[in-house]
Amino acid sequence: MVLSGLDWRSSRPWTVVGVAVVCLVAGVLTFTRDSRPAHADPTALPHTTVEVSASRCGRGWSAPVSGVQVFDLHNPTDGAAGVLLEDPGSQAVYGEVEDIGPGTTRELTVRLGKGAYAFKCVPDDADAVTGPTVRIAKGSSGPAAAPVTEHDLIPPALAYQKWVGNGLSDVVRLTTALRAAVDRGDLAAARTAWLPAHLEYERLGAAYDAFGDADGAINGTDAGLPGGVHDKDFTGFHRIEYGLWHGESAAGLRRPAAALLKAVTALRDEWAQARMDPAQLGLRAHEILENTVQFELTGRTDHGSGSSLATARANLDGTVEVMSRLHPLLATRYPDLPALESELKRAGTVLDRFRHGGAWTPLAKLGHRQREDVDAVLGDLVERLASVAALCDPRRTV
């Protein structure tokens, strides 16, 4: 899919920058790009200025108190640094701020209670340094989670990459059937073959960045192209979709169908040498459905087939697959994991109501209440999966 002439899957940075704290939402650890919990007014909370530097990491926290509070993290050095507030024994993280620039101060808002705490300063160009341990005698802390390292993410990433390879083989097989139908001039069969091939590709959502330019050729839209749907650079599944549902002849579709099959075959053959970045796996679990809400549920990617809800279901399947790989890491870090997995199943049930054999209800045919149900369940999942992205963001510990 294309946004402003760029593939939307690579138009956003795949990093969580400036992530800060931890806020208690339904008892789970939630990291957000904002540096404070929504319920906290930082002007009414106690503030403590803490130094972020290799020589004086954590200095300034000399009068510890329990409860929700703000740490003003000041970096007096000439290089950027990140900070973790952690349990010095277990290294469970209570809060984090990344990329504190030279000479700047950033806020970290946390709820602290009985326990031991220490700031860990992580300069960009030096080893991590742990500051002095501070103890609080009473009160209840907010949630914490053991940090995930890139090493932890390698096994699930390798398993997922192998699954993607199998999926690409299925994409090639199904696209071969699509091309054959076009070549013999059977447009009804081509319309029937188009959807399974496209959905099989859509299930591979967490791998799109690793596909590189191939994804634009395979699954790009006409967005940003000067000629729109008639532009010579409009290719792939959506180019064929447009032709199949807008009366184009089989002769006109033969070249796009051949090009699509060539592209997916090349991607399948090259995938064995590809290497996914393990650090992106958790973030992709969130981004798949975030983009589903932004593009599929707005109809921006529908070029005539009315299959947006089918694509949303395939995206959900892809998210479930990623989550199955991450489950062992999240089981001990994310208390709300059972509720999230239950919500994933519920979302599948909601979407499946609109499947009728091999056909799906178009978005425009949904009733008001039906549309609300779809938006609500997927919107809730996007919110929950933001915590997965944050928890699986690898952290330097040395």
Side-chain angles (χ1 to χ4, degrees), residues 28-278:
V28 302
L29 181 67
T30 302
F31 292 84
T32 69
R33 287 180 174 85
D34 192 347
S35 60
R36 58 182 65 103
H39 65 270
D41 176 5
T43 62
L45 298 175
H47 282 245
T48 303
T49 299
V50 172
E51 185 169 323
V52 179
S53 67
S55 60
R56 293 178 56 82
C57 180
R59 303 295 176 179
W61 191 15
S62 56
V65 295
S66 61
V68 179
Q69 55 200 282
V70 180
F71 291 100
D72 299 305
L73 304 172
H74 178 65
N75 178 8
T77 71
D78 57 3
V83 178
L84 307 173
L85 178 60
E86 64 181 23
D87 180 324
S90 67
Q91 292 192 319
V93 177
Y94 289 88
E96 175 185 17
V97 177
E98 294 181 348
D99 298 322
I100 304 175
T104 62
T105 301
R106 298 271 297 282
E107 292 182 352
L108 172 64
T109 306
V110 289
R111 174 184 282 110
L112 300 180
K114 184 177 181 179
Y117 305 90
F119 281 100
K120 177 175 286 183
C121 301
V122 189
D124 281 356
D125 57 355
D127 293 339
V129 176
T130 301
T133 296
V134 172
R135 300 185 185 278
I136 295 177
K138 61 181 181 179
S140 299
S141 296
V148 170
T149 67
E150 287 202 36
H151 181 76
D152 295 328
L153 289 166
I154 290 173
L158 289 175
Y160 180 75
Q161 186 164 340
K162 182 178 180 181
W163 178 81
V164 169
N166 293 332
L168 286 172
S169 294
D170 289 336
V171 173
V172 171
R173 175 178 55 81
L174 293 166
T175 305
T176 299
L178 169 61
R179 182 193 176 182
V182 170
D183 283 350
R184 66 176 182 266
D186 189 345
L187 295 182
R191 282 189 286 272
T192 299
W194 180 87
L195 186 58
H198 183 239
L199 297 184
E200 189 62 34
Y201 185 82
E202 286 282 352
R203 290 187 182 94
L204 311 179
Y208 288 144
D209 188 56
F211 290 167
D213 293 340
D215 180 59
I218 293 169
N219 208 32
T221 72
D222 66 312
L225 297 177
V229 294
H230 303 295
D231 196 283
K232 64 180 178 58
D233 292 326
F234 181 31
T235 62
F237 280 113
H238 291 298
R239 165 66 182 88
I240 297 170
E241 177 190 11
Y242 179 82
L244 287 173
W245 276 272
H246 287 85
E248 189 170 354
S249 69
L253 288 171
R254 285 188 182 115
R255 181 174 292 179
L260 174 60
L261 179 57
K262 181 179 179 180
V264 296
T265 301
L267 180 58
R268 179 202 62 188
D269 294 345
E270 294 165 3
W271 185 247
Q273 283 73 48
R275 291 294 178 266
M276 289 186 61
D277 181 358

Side-chain angles (χ1 to χ4, degrees), residues 373-386:
D373 288 346
V374 172
D375 289 347
V377 72
L378 291 182
D380 179 66
L381 279 173
V382 170
E383 213 172 286
R384 290 175 183 270
L385 288 163

